Amino acid sequence: MGSIVGAFGTAHLVMKRGTAGEAGERVFDGMKEIGRRVRALSPDRLVIISSDHFYNYRIGTPIAYGVAAADSHRPFGDMHLPTDPFAGDALFARGLAAHSGAASFDLAVLEDYRPDHGVVIPMLMVGRAAGVPVIPVITNTANEPAPSLADGWRLGGLIREYVEQRRRAEERVVVIGTGGLSHWLAVPEMGRVNSEFDLAVIDALTQGRGESLLGWTGEQILAEGGNGGLEIVNWLMMAGTMPGATGERVYYEPIPEWVTGMGGIELFANTGNTK
Amino acid sequence: MSQLQQVHDLVHRIWQQPALRARFAQDPAAVLAQEPLTDGQRALLLKGDFEALGELGMHPLAQMVYSLARTPEMAGMISFTDYLADLEEAANG
């Protein structure tokens, strides 16, 4: 059986360098540190969980969760990111979708998906040279209602099951949940950052209490974390791959200049009450 | 397709079609003139700030990506260019 050997949460965006002073540099250092830690785990596959940012889906696309099935991903190229293809694993993706479907969880297979910054920046943190195949799992947080934390957590469990039951022996998988934390985009509250919300998420996950967040409703998240805060479903899915595991904060900075609470964590395998 | 769907469809196509995006960057009024929109919608899209886009009823996510196409300052702010070499050096040695 394969195994999840590490799980991380991280912001998936930074804004123009120098516009957030030392705090911005600490965030970037934190991202580099997460990349270093992922590489140290020698993964064979990376599952990167992100939202789509309207570069693939349309408003109203009736897909809550999808997985990009390709052996080579061609980035969209937003944020002036490189568009060089990077490795994927179509068989892994299709197998995961089938495994989820067998458990009555609808995980759509995405053909010709072009990853945006939400997948590409975390991939770059780990490094293109490493060449580790990436399986993008895409949430649609633009949907109304947005994907629930409970469903995200459940899909995390299915990812774990799939790796442990269906993948080859000794395969090492690292999962990275991306996005968040609190931010309000293109709404009157834009610019607000809610550290209380951000730290509640970080503390619950690093203390192995992810399940305590599953009762949060979309309305609560919108009120306390903003419409961008809905991306915490990506972190909950990540934590759901390693339920009960404890970890540590790698970085956190509330950055009003970037209108976002920027955070990164690592969860350690075989810690806490890992099931 | 509803009027709002027309607006969202245009925003989507601007990002899906590089040639359209280039034309839009050069002359947004000319691109908008060819779209099945009302004069009021065109005026709000040309104004292009979040208040105007919100008045259109545009989804916040669509507002963000429209702003990236409409406002060079926004595209310059939300850019990874200054970090790439540094990150690649850290990641790839």
Side-chain angles (χ1 to χ4, degrees), chain A residues 14-17 19 28 32 39 52-59 76 79-82 121 124-125 127-129 142 185-186 190 227 258, chain B residues 8-9 11-13 15-16 21 50 59-65 68 75-84 86-88 90-92:
Chain A
V14 284
M15 294 192 191
K16 186 171 177 57
R17 203 161 194 176
T19 55
F28 186 51
K32 287 190 283 190
R39 291 191 298 277
D52 182 77
H53 298 88
F54 199 57
Y55 294 112
N56 289 270
Y57 294 164
R58 291 169 175 267
I59 300 301
F76 190 85
M79 286 185 66
H80 308 114
L81 286 160
I121 289 178
L124 291 171
M125 290 182 207
R128 286 187 281 188
L185 292 176
M190 189 166 179
N227 51 358
W258 293 354
Chain B
H8 284 148
D9 179 66
V11 179
H12 193 74
R13 281 185 287 116
W15 278 97
Q16 294 298 316
R21 190 159 72 251
F50 288 128
H59 190 286
L61 207 54
Q63 290 187 42
M64 292 304 297
V65 296
L68 291 172
M77 180 67 181
I78 303 181
S79 171
F80 201 70
T81 303
D82 298 338
Y83 300 92
L84 188 58
D86 196 346
L87 186 59
E88 299 256 67
N92 303 326

Side-chain angles (χ1 to χ4, degrees), chain A residues 126-192:
Chain A
V126 180
R128 286 187 281 188
V132 182
V134 173
I135 297 90
V137 173
I138 306 300
T139 59
N140 190 353
T141 52
N143 255 0
E144 295 179 18
S148 72
L149 301 189
D151 282 349
W153 179 271
R154 181 168 174 240
L155 181 53
L158 291 169
I159 293 171
R160 180 187 183 89
E161 266 184 24
Y162 173 64
V163 169
E164 291 184 344
Q165 297 175 9
R166 304 287 179 185
R167 296 297 297 174
R168 68 171 172 79
E170 310 305 326
E171 183 170 78
R172 299 170 63 81
V173 177
V174 167
V175 180
I176 307 177
T178 78
L181 294 163
S182 65
H183 56 301
W184 281 257
L185 292 176
V187 291
E189 301 95 323
M190 189 166 179
R192 179 185 171 199

Side-chain angles (χ1 to χ4, degrees), chain A residues 233-251:
Chain A
V233 68
N234 304 331
W235 289 47
L236 267 292
M237 194 190 305
M238 170 277 292
T241 69
M242 210 181 272
T246 56
E248 67 181 16
R249 184 198 311 183
V250 179
Y251 68 91

